[in-house]
Amino acid sequence: MQHDPRPETVGIEKLRAWWSHRQWLDRQHPGASAAEVLAATGWARSVGGAAPYLGLFARAGLGRAAVDAAVAGLQVHELPSARGCTYLLPAADFALGLAVGAAAPEGELAAAAKHLGVSRDEVEQLCLAIERVLSDGGPLDPTTIREAVGDAARPLGEAGRKRGLATTLPLALGLMQSRGRIRRVPVNGRLDQQRYGYIGWDQPVAGSAVDLARRYLSWAGPATLGHFRWFSGFTAATARRAVAEAGAVPLEPGSELLLLPELAEEFAEFEAPTEPHYTLLAGIDGIHLLHRDLSRLLDPADAARPLPAGRTGRTFGGEADPQTHLVLDRGRIVGLWEYDTERAEIVHLSFVPPDDALREAVARTEAFVRDELGDARGFSLDSPRSRAPRIAALRAAAAAGTAG
């Protein structure tokens, strides 16, 4: 999604710095809990990688143990929410997250009914069987659940496998998660490794599109209607109505960028910092993914850079999403990085002349990844082997820039 709605009288530097400020990336907030960070800056996309850890470390200096303890204590939790995608949410938003994500498993059930002959009744009966199995405790992994429910979960044959559904079990698990009847927990307590079990739950589900619009604009505003549609997955009519009922106003007359009125005065008085503040983040951090509009964070010269280890002719600015992790300064992407597990070091390509502040930010994040995470995977299938070409390309590009 690419937009260029920037009003002529508000410079992009101020917009970037404001977005960074609202994302708590202009300075660290020591003492803030994981739930407080997520409530203030937005839900953190979770795809089995290091993104939530990196984002919480950058914003509040939170170590892995503190984040894992917050997950174990249900202060924060991974839940299917906006667009049916999994995010890390604060407890105050559990009900809303489930409510806005409920359409996804319903859609999957409707598709299974149409293409695979699965009835709602059999899936509802399977839900009841799963609830009985989990009533004795847990968590139980999907294989154990499938064996325990017996014939209540049936195979869907070759047609199902082609659609990514070997049995009816995932349909029931998806419905039960969206209803707050079960929750998925990491078996080793970590967010960056995808081995899960399920446990019974009794979480209310409540909230509206307007509630999500208000939260979104507090995290990501100024933002366009298109930005909100991307994040929410709502139809144009639903998104437009939600934003209007949330009271959003144009940043200035004629602008597509919308802002909550209670933030308008603060934005008008806001001045971009003059000193750099570098942060190392995952490529799917909210500073990008809340809008999914990469060009707004890039200077034109950086947008034209070739993609590390990409096909000839592909440029960084031509991508919908970054293919590497990011270095930011006051809302501008000023570099790329990956973690080399063999050398236990961060390899980074800087778009700006490195200074002591940048070197310190890299060293701080490198120590965090090495000592607490062991790796900085971008997503569940990322591995040291798969990212080796990107690391080599970043290392070569950085060396060439230094030599030049």
Side-chain angles (χ1 to χ4, degrees):
M1 178 186 297
Q2 299 292 324
H3 300 277
D4 191 15
R6 300 160 191 154
E8 294 180 1
T9 57
V10 178
I12 187 59
E13 289 80 11
K14 177 173 180 175
L15 282 168
R16 287 176 183 162
W18 170 263
W19 285 319
S20 178
H21 168 68
R22 295 298 298 176
Q23 282 291 298
W24 284 19
L25 294 173
D26 54 351
R27 62 182 178 86
Q28 274 204 352
H29 292 68
S33 68
E36 288 169 335
V37 175
L38 295 171
T41 66
W43 304 343
R45 187 75 170 93
S46 176
V47 289
Y53 291 121
L54 292 169
L56 292 166
F57 177 74
R59 289 168 171 85
L62 289 168
R64 182 176 68 83
V67 177
D68 290 350
V71 173
L74 270 179
Q75 298 160 23
V76 302
H77 200 56
E78 289 183 298
L79 293 175
S81 47
R83 305 184 317 281
C85 295
T86 303
Y87 286 83
L88 187 67
L89 276 61
D93 287 348
F94 288 173
L96 176 61
L98 291 173
V100 300
E106 288 289 347
E108 291 169 0
L109 177 55
K114 179 179 179 180
H115 300 287
L116 301 173
V118 175
S119 72
R120 173 174 286 276
D121 182 66
E122 71 172 304
V123 176
E124 295 290 0
Q125 291 299 316
L126 176 54
C127 289
L128 292 174
I130 294 170
E131 194 156 345
R132 287 192 294 270
V133 166
L134 293 179
S135 64
D136 292 333
L140 301 179
D141 62 69
T143 299
T144 302
I145 293 173
R146 186 174 66 249
E147 292 172 350
V149 299
D151 293 341
R154 69 178 175 93
L156 294 174
E158 184 61 25
R161 282 189 288 273
K162 288 181 178 179
R163 300 187 68 85
L165 281 174
T167 74
T168 53
L169 185 67
L171 296 170
L173 292 175
L175 280 178
M176 295 180 74
Q177 284 189 90
S178 72
R179 295 168 178 172
R181 302 303 302 163
I182 62 172
R183 57 188 177 93
R184 192 182 73 173
V185 296
V187 296
N188 62 356
R190 293 188 59 157
L191 298 171
D192 56 353
Q193 298 178 14
Q194 282 202 313
R195 292 183 59 232
Y196 299 103
Y198 292 87
I199 193 168
W201 206 18
D202 187 16
Q203 166 62 45
V205 178
S208 68
V210 180
D211 295 326
L212 185 63
R214 290 195 185 100
R215 279 174 176 74
Y216 175 81
L217 289 169
S218 74
W219 308 328
T224 68
L225 184 65
H227 291 144
F228 178 56
R229 283 197 64 196
W230 143 251
F231 175 77
S232 65
F234 294 155
T235 65
T238 298
R240 189 176 295 109
R241 182 171 60 252
V243 166
E245 292 183 16
V249 296
L251 183 61
E252 62 179 15
S255 174
E256 293 181 40
L257 287 168
L258 303 171
L259 189 68
L260 291 174
E262 58 265 33
L263 293 176
E265 183 177 351
E266 183 181 348
F267 179 83
E269 296 176 353
F270 177 79
E271 294 183 3
T274 57
E275 294 297 319
H277 182 79
Y278 301 103
T279 50
L280 277 71
L281 301 161
I284 59 170
D285 187 86
I287 190 67
H288 161 62
L289 204 58
L290 285 171
H291 298 80
R292 207 183 183 207
D293 183 2
L294 190 59
S295 62
R296 71 194 171 88
L297 303 178
L298 288 168
D299 278 359
D302 299 326
R305 291 175 179 270
L307 197 66
R311 291 194 300 269
T312 302
R314 289 180 65 178
T315 61
F316 187 32
E319 297 296 299
D321 301 296
Q323 303 303 303
T324 65
H325 297 320
L326 304 173
V327 183
L328 271 90
D329 171 30
R330 291 164 289 181
R332 174 194 165 196
I333 296 173
V334 295
L336 310 173
W337 70 277
E338 292 285 1
Y339 187 73
D340 184 341
T341 55
E342 285 192 8
R343 302 189 189 183
E345 67 180 14
I346 283 176
V347 178
H348 76 284
L349 170 64
S350 179
F351 300 166
V352 297
D355 57 14
D356 288 344
L358 176 56
R359 284 186 281 268
E360 195 278 331
V362 171
R364 183 175 64 250
T365 306
E366 182 178 88
F368 170 64
V369 174
R370 181 186 63 242
D371 298 340
E372 301 195 36
L373 301 183
D375 197 2
R377 296 194 301 171
F379 51 94
S380 60
L381 297 180
D382 186 18
S383 69
R385 182 176 180 180
S386 68
R387 86 177 73 104
R390 297 197 302 275
I391 290 175
L394 286 176
R395 186 172 274 124
T402 301

